[in-house]
Amino acid sequence: MRRTIGGLLVLLVLLVALTVAQKARGSAPRVQGRSVTVLFGLLAGFTTMVANAAGPVMSIYLLATGTSMMTFLGTGAWFYL
């Protein structure tokens, strides 16, 4: 289980670094498609169950979809409720 949690944390750090690099270049692509949404949903659910670490996954997904600030806050509140 330690290796799984470690791997998840490395993956999350890489996703955050990729998002920051894309934002710095000004070319952050928008996430589209049901498969990407399902992938992020499964990743968020699994990381919450295993390590209580879904915050970065949800933040990356919501930022990548281009949600507004109020939608970001509302969705985050409902997700953690």
Side-chain angles (χ1 to χ4, degrees):
M1 191 53 74
R2 289 182 190 182
R3 290 183 184 175
T4 302
I5 292 171
L8 285 172
L9 292 175
V10 168
L11 178 65
L12 292 175
V13 168
L14 290 175
L15 285 173
V16 168
L18 178 65
T19 302
V20 168
Q22 288 177 341
K23 289 274 186 188
R25 286 190 315 213
S27 64
R30 294 203 177 234
V31 172
Q32 295 178 352
R34 187 179 199 110
S35 61
V36 175
T37 302
V38 169
L39 175 69
F40 271 93
L42 290 173
L43 186 60
F46 184 74
T47 55
T48 294
M49 180 182 70
V50 173
N52 197 20
V57 175
M58 285 299 295
S59 295
I60 291 169
Y61 175 73
L62 292 173
L63 289 172
T65 57
T67 59
S68 67
M69 180 185 64
M70 294 306 286
T71 304
F72 181 88
L73 293 173
T75 303
W78 277 107
F79 180 74
Y80 294 110
L81 178 66

